[in-house]
Amino acid sequence: GESVGLHLPTLSVQEGDNSIINCAYSNSASDYFIWYKQESGKGPQFIIDIRSNMDKRQGQRVTVLLNKTVKHLSLQIAATQPGDSAVYFCAERQGAQKLVFGQGTRLTINP
Amino acid sequence: EPEVTQTPSHQVTQMGQEVILRCVPISNHLYFYWYRQILGQKVEFLVSFYNNEISEKSEIFDDQFSVERPDGSNFTLKIRSTKLEDSAMYFCASSGLTNEKLFFGSGTQLSVL
């Protein structure tokens, strides 16, 4: 079946730098995407979402970009902080209510 | 800030036993979900629940699984006869009118021995 996946399993950046986490999806009919952050021992925490009729959406220090032509989703985190260290998942809505998660990227912020 | 709460945080059970995982979704939410995450793997959809009935379920959610909203606040997942491969972190989630922005609880770590 079609699935959502991530390009890189791990990413290390220096504190204060910007980070970009990528995600590829294959279902061109998907209309809604979410980025979640998961810290160790905790549930996924909502970061930002985007609908397919948009190509960019900004939040506080985060930006999600959607490129429907190449079915690519990215999460940009500006001025990374130690608290940004976590696993980041993209998720795609398939069907009416099911979210399909990618494998996740572990982001490590180096001091 | 409202949050989804789950109990217990850890559950250890013997293979073949029944377990009930409990969740209190955010109070004004209408859609309820169970997901699971096997250690080191991605989060997987189990079931969605709306208007007091299952609206969608995955292949994982077989006859051994059931969900219930026994009152106005709780949402439970029951596994009738646990198997070793049911060991995972189980997350409850809820969402509001838009059926988007799922908010997850902290999970119940289920260990089947």
Side-chain angles (χ1 to χ4, degrees):
Chain A
E2 298 189 71
S3 63
V4 176
L6 286 158
H7 290 305
L8 297 173
T10 61
L11 178 65
S12 293
V13 299
Q14 291 298 120
E15 183 178 350
D17 287 352
N18 300 332
S19 66
I20 300 176
I21 301 171
N22 296 303
C23 177
Y25 67 95
S26 57
N27 188 342
S28 57
S30 294
D31 64 349
Y32 179 69
F33 305 87
I34 308 180
W35 280 100
Y36 283 95
K37 172 186 180 182
Q38 187 177 27
E39 296 174 284
S40 180
K42 297 184 179 180
Q45 177 187 354
F46 174 88
I47 301 174
I48 193 167
D49 58 357
I50 189 167
R51 296 173 184 266
S52 59
N53 61 353
M54 304 171 69
D55 53 20
K56 181 179 180 179
R57 191 162 187 225
Q58 288 185 292
Q60 187 177 11
R61 286 201 302 118
V62 294
T63 301
V64 55
L65 299 176
L66 176 62
N67 185 331
K68 294 182 287 295
T69 302
V70 294
K71 296 180 200 147
H72 185 268
L73 192 69
S74 67
L75 176 70
Q76 300 178 358
I77 305 174
T80 53
Q81 304 168 358
D84 294 330
S85 293
V87 177
Y88 290 81
F89 292 94
C90 63
E92 166 190 21
R93 182 168 63 187
Q94 291 186 0
Q97 296 183 18
K98 181 172 71 173
L99 284 182
V100 175
F101 282 76
Q103 290 290 352
T105 292
R106 180 174 298 281
L107 177 65
T108 301
I109 309 301
N110 300 314
Chain B
E1 184 176 329
E3 60 180 18
V4 176
T5 58
Q6 291 185 242
T7 55
S9 56
H10 292 84
Q11 175 84 51
V12 180
T13 189
Q14 295 291 324
M15 187 170 56
Q17 295 296 305
E18 174 184 286
V19 294
I20 298 177
L21 309 183
R22 304 182 189 277
C23 170
V24 179
I26 294 173
S27 62
N28 61 348
H29 281 184
L30 302 176
Y31 297 85
F32 313 108
Y33 312 84
W34 284 100
Y35 283 76
R36 79 173 187 188
Q37 186 178 31
I38 295 171
L39 184 64
Q41 300 186 22
K42 61 183 179 181
V43 178
E44 300 175 288
F45 171 81
L46 292 178
V47 66
S48 59
F49 191 87
Y50 171 72
N51 199 26
N52 287 317
E53 61 182 19
I54 291 173
S55 48
E56 194 167 356
K57 61 182 181 180
S58 71
E59 293 178 351
I60 302 169
F61 195 88
D62 61 22
D63 291 345
Q64 294 301 311
F65 291 85
S66 62
V67 290
E68 189 177 30
R69 188 157 162 82
D71 52 42
S73 60
N74 293 285
F75 181 52
T76 62
L77 174 69
K78 180 192 290 186
I79 308 175
R80 292 188 181 83
S81 178
T82 50
K83 303 185 288 288
L84 295 176
E85 54 265 37
D86 293 329
S87 295
M89 179 74 89
Y90 286 81
F91 293 109
C92 174
S94 68
S95 61
L97 282 174
T98 62
N99 183 27
E100 297 171 348
K101 289 186 181 179
L102 272 66
F103 292 90
F104 285 79
S106 294
T108 293
Q109 179 65 56
L110 176 65
S111 298
V112 182
L113 306 179

